[in-house]
Amino acid sequence: MFSVCEVSPGRVQGGRLYIPMQRPADHGEDRWTTPGEHGAGDKQGADEKKPEGRSWWECHLSDTAKGLVVALFGGGLLAGFVAPFTRIAYQASRMPSLEILLFRCLLHMALGPVLKLRHMPLFGPRQAWRPIFIHAFINVVSIGCAYTSFMVIPAGSATTIRKGASTLCSTLMSLLITTTTRLSAYDWVGLLGSMAGLCLIVVPELVWSEKASLLINIFGYVLATLGGLALAVALIIFRTFSHPAKLATAAFTFGVVGSLLCAMLAPWLQEPVLTSDSLTWSCVASIASLALLSFFCANYAVSKAHPALVCAFLHSEVVVTMAVQYCVLSEPLSAYAVGGAGVIIGSILVVTAHSVGCGRQTGSH
């Protein structure tokens, strides 16, 4: 008679042969463990050791760095093509600035159906209507002055003046109004470097301008300065918004207010132009699309970072505008303009390196 039990192989006891029972392979060891033993603990430990799956964007960039990167590549680089395209449209068919602004506002109004599909109020919550409409009006003034200055003085100079005025105004207003946000030493170095680069571009051009064009240049610089001041005020107002879909509602409200103002003022201030020139309409379509994307990026950036730093990073628009001005419009650039653009780029790199470094330290802790 044979009996089966778990003993070592080849063992004979009392005339009986004991055959060892074969266990399953190692890959089936889970069948020999009970839920209360080490099986559940191993799974829990594996879950704890599993990486969180965060992307490089989330691990290495703080909120401030994210806002500045969006301002650099979205708000600055894209907007750098707007000024040259506006000048090209004006040179091709004499299309006035308010008419170009009108077509841009009509594109903004296309966001209305999107807000309706998401069951969002078109102008935001009722208690926020007043600041939203003030923000839209100031934005219309800023862009109207900027587009007009692009047609009066060189596009690079107009962009430079506008960005310099917005940076200076946003810095002063933020320091006077906001008490919780402070600029570090690196931020001040980048900010002052950007202002120095702007002065290096503008001051020689004003000093060496001819007397015949001095009044026209002054008029263009005044418009660009007003556009920059209005831009800084609009960014600071947007920073106070906290309702859902604030980007889309601000863009739609800008489209509504801008369309009404342009439709009423354009016949009185400027002569409308109806043209069939394909180059003009291509420029207008590009201006509207790029400006809409830049609008979203700039307002997103100011909700993440200090308004003065956002304006400083928007100075990348100056460099792009000058490059397009030289390559496409064949307008010469002075050595001071090239040097000032280099100073601006260096200042942006200083602030970027500091922001990314702070983001890595925060992520490591």
Side-chain angles (χ1 to χ4, degrees):
M1 170 180 258
F2 297 90
S3 62
V4 180
C5 64
E6 291 185 339
V7 295
S8 60
R11 182 178 178 183
V12 180
Q13 185 176 359
R16 295 181 179 181
L17 176 63
Y18 294 89
I19 302 175
M21 184 171 58
Q22 300 294 329
R23 290 193 176 190
D26 291 340
H27 63 269
E29 289 182 6
D30 289 342
R31 297 176 54 190
W32 298 90
T33 58
T34 60
E37 296 177 354
H38 65 277
D42 290 343
K43 291 182 181 180
Q44 183 177 2
D47 291 338
E48 292 177 355
K49 295 179 181 179
K50 185 182 296 184
E52 298 179 4
R54 294 184 299 175
S55 62
W56 181 90
W57 174 268
E58 297 174 347
C59 292
H60 296 280
L61 291 181
S62 62
D63 287 342
T64 299
K66 293 176 186 178
L68 295 180
V69 169
V70 171
L72 175 64
F73 293 102
L77 296 182
L78 294 181
F81 295 93
V82 172
F85 288 167
T86 304
R87 194 168 182 86
I88 292 173
Y90 179 73
Q91 292 177 351
S93 58
R94 297 294 174 181
M95 180 172 286
S97 58
L98 291 181
E99 188 173 353
I100 296 176
L101 179 57
L102 174 62
F103 287 111
R104 174 184 171 177
C105 293
L106 292 177
L107 179 61
H108 280 247
M109 292 181 63
L111 295 172
V114 178
L115 291 172
K116 281 295 185 181
L117 289 176
R118 296 179 60 184
H119 305 287
M120 294 286 185
L122 296 178
F123 304 108
R126 184 174 294 274
Q127 62 270 18
W129 279 10
R130 182 178 179 182
I132 287 176
F133 279 98
I134 293 176
H135 172 266
F137 175 78
I138 294 176
N139 252 322
V140 172
V141 173
S142 171
I143 297 172
C145 293
Y147 285 5
T148 306
S149 66
F150 296 157
M151 301 173 181
V152 177
I153 58 178
S157 301
T159 305
T160 301
I161 290 290
R162 182 172 181 251
K163 293 305 178 184
S166 65
T167 302
L168 182 59
C169 180
S170 62
T171 302
L172 295 177
M173 292 185 64
S174 298
L175 294 178
L176 293 175
I177 297 175
T178 306
T179 58
T180 58
T181 305
R182 298 295 181 184
L183 295 177
S184 65
Y186 291 94
D187 297 337
W188 277 111
V189 169
L191 186 62
L192 295 177
S194 298
M195 293 301 301
L198 292 172
C199 294
L200 187 61
I201 295 172
V202 174
V203 172
E205 185 174 347
L206 284 176
V207 173
W208 295 340
S209 61
E210 300 178 358
K211 293 182 179 180
S213 59
L214 182 59
L215 292 178
I216 297 177
N217 289 341
I218 291 176
F219 176 69
Y221 290 143
V222 169
L223 288 177
T225 303
L226 292 176
L229 296 177
L231 173 63
V233 175
L235 290 176
I236 291 178
I237 292 176
F238 183 85
R239 191 177 173 86
T240 63
F241 294 164
S242 59
H243 58 273
K246 57 183 179 181
L247 285 172
T249 54
F252 176 77
T253 308
F254 167 81
V256 173
V257 175
S259 299
L260 293 176
L261 290 178
C262 291
M264 292 187 299
L265 297 178
W268 295 92
L269 300 178
Q270 299 173 350
E271 183 179 355
V273 173
L274 297 178
T275 179
S276 58
D277 182 52
S278 58
L279 177 61
T280 301
W281 289 114
S282 299
C283 290
V284 171
S286 301
I287 291 168
S289 303
L290 293 174
L292 178 61
L293 294 176
S294 177
F295 181 91
F296 278 121
C297 293
N299 286 303
Y300 170 82
V302 82
S303 65
K304 297 292 184 180
H306 196 282
L309 295 179
V310 172
C311 290
F313 271 67
L314 292 178
H315 288 170
S316 58
E317 177 183 349
V318 176
V319 181
V320 176
T321 300
M322 286 188 172
V324 178
Q325 172 185 334
Y326 179 78
C327 297
V328 179
L329 298 177
S330 301
E331 296 180 356
L333 295 175
S334 64
Y336 292 99
V338 177
V343 173
I344 292 173
I345 294 175
S347 303
I348 292 175
L349 291 178
V350 169
V351 182
T352 304
H354 172 64
S355 300
V356 174
C358 291
R360 287 177 178 176
Q361 294 177 1
T362 303
S364 62
H365 293 293

